[in-house]
Amino acid sequence: MNGDGVIDVKDVSLIMQYALNIIDEFPHDPELRIDSVKALTPYKLLMEFNMEIEEPERGDIEIRDEEGNRLFVSRVELVEDDEALEVRLFNALEDGEEYDITATIDDVELEYTFLYEQGEVVDIEVEGTNFVTAADRDFEMGYKLMTDTGVDVSTIKDVKVRANIPSGQISAEDGVVTIDGQEDEKVVLFRLSYDNDDEIESDQVRVLFAAEFVETFGTFTIVEREYWRHTVDWDEDDLFQWINVGMSGYFLVPELLDQFGDEVTVSEETLRFTSFDPDKLVVDRMDGALTPREEGEADIRVEHPTRRISTVYTVDVLPEVELTELVFADSGDDFEEAIIFDEIEISTVDDELVVYVWMLDQYERPYAPVEEIEFDIEVDDEDVVTTDRDSVSVEDKHNFYFKLEAGDVGDTVVTVENGDVSAELSVEVFEPGVLVGYQMRGVTNLDLYENDVTNEMTVRVYPVDEDGFRTGDAELAHWEVDGDQISILRMREITISTVDPGADYYIDEEGTYKITAEIEDYKVEETFEVVDTTPPYKVEQISAKETVDQKEGNVIEAINEALEVTRDGVEYDVEEAKFISDNRSVIPHDAKTSEKPGEATIYITELTVNGKKVEVDVVLEVVVEYEPEVDAGNSEAEAVDNEDSSATITITVRDQHDNPYEELGMDDIKLHLYDDPDRVAIDWETLSEIDDRPAYTASIDEQEPGIYTVIIECTANWTDGKMDVEADGVEIETGAEFKLTGN
């Protein structure tokens, strides 16, 4: 500025330069924008931005076609250092269609117009060309069907597979090649192809199915049940790798991995355990049972002798647990889910209130005394509240409970105590306010899986004051569930169950349900969810061939012997099965019982277990055997008069399944020759005698299995005879008449 108060050009230049320096020193955010949008697949877009962004909700991305129809977003995910966004769609993009995209990112609304050009298929990309996988385990490999515009169209276009195994054992669909498990050392070779004027082929892929073997040890955990390995979830963040002095019945379980990085299950007899610190922790060398002795760290070596691998785990041995704290809660089922409190309010009209007391150790974990201990329960002012018990004894449990019953309005304290460990519960009893409405109580979500916790609820409607406290007993109401009337009569409560068809309302399907209770002109509604957390049945084939006797239900018996069906560690029997039989004369399709002895291979596709259908793919060979018995109804005898003082009797003996009975000897057959009223039985050792001399001579010959020929000669006069046969204790009537004339 000059002396006249006028700013000259030099001063302006200096000011501008100073301002620019300040801007350079203090970074400023450029304007957020969408740089580009491209299709990765017909169902997935990649949106690229000019800077790092925060991940939006899927509802923040709106995509519309040329006609204004909205394409709904199923998922969004940040990629490329948070400067790009993958957007997955429920609907496929249409080739040649232009789409308007509106995205709200970091509170900034951005717009972009995108033309989807699908292009022509030019290449098939495979994940690799050489793989090794576990025998008898399905193999999966990804592939892409790429167009000249860079779009992977494998989810909407089919490829062909040429392989050295049957077509039923390999498939390619939606970008994934799946090969059924193969036998050990089997090599599968395949190529993918696509017809697009000229045939396009992928590189040849080689997959070796190799026998799995233990290659290394992973982490470890300590479990209470002896080597119950399949209960271990190795993905848990917090595995048990410590043990307290005084604990018993716990075992160290190592994680074993095969050459593919997958868990391998072996029996405890396969491993050897050694403690390097037996003064602190002793380990059983054969099964890994732990006996903690002294606080500290103990190193345990675990060896797999046949594989010649080993590792060392460090186990923390903690001090013996002891009871240090009591807390009050609303539930005795799950400590992690229970609500903990030290004060409570009770209305004078409330029912008895159940209060749970959890025992905790020095680590704030639920504590269960191994020997019985007693707790005293005292109330400061029993005019205000009373308990249903003055003391309680506990052993091998983490909690106990008592009930509170309200008396006069006021405050008091309930104390639960054992020696130096005690807890106080502040209780306020109040008079409820004026009735302002009604409230439904007891509504909870239900589960179709029978678990004794969330399968049933009892619902009531109570009058309540403005604070939601009860002012009286449950009201009579007309009830509906999802529009279904429970009863024409008013009821104080209804029971809804997923396991008891005899409940007021029985539910056997998942969904959202609405309960309506109508009290005069007042209507109360609540909704609840019914879910199905039933874990899947695990079916393991432990035998490829079973031999059973011919009897009722023998096919189901064979299936139960060949399969182990479990859920949550509990074993179940198969009740019914759907299968195809390659020998229907022995075992018809889907039959519970075989028709006759023999052999058949059945191809099982579905099991009924505990009333539920379970899909399977099992091949089982069934051999049906039986103990043959002579069946008189299936056997016959024929007599021929030779007119030379002899007769020939042909006896055909069959068993209960109409098969030749081949196990008869001479001692098993008797002939009865008779005319009324006398009857003479001939056995082969002592022929009947007349006048102190043999009356007959006989010989027997088995011509072919089950067919016996007897020639009998008469040495005394016999006229107009008849004959029966008794074979192996079963009598066979011939009904034949003949003449034998002796000398």
Side-chain angles (χ1 to χ4, degrees), residues 11 18 61 81-82 104 250 317 358 406 424 435 466 475 477 488 496 501 506 542 553 574 681:
D11 293 332
Y18 180 71
I61 310 297
D81 297 328
D82 296 345
T104 303
Y250 286 80
V317 183
W358 284 83
E424 293 184 346
L435 168 68
E466 61 181 358
E475 296 281 357
I488 60 173
I496 302 174
Y506 173 64
I542 57 178
V574 174

Side-chain angles (χ1 to χ4, degrees), residues 76 110 232 248 257 270 546 554 587 708:
V76 295
L110 306 174
V232 177
S248 61
L257 304 175
T270 308
E546 286 295 328
N554 62 342
I587 301 178
Y708 305 86

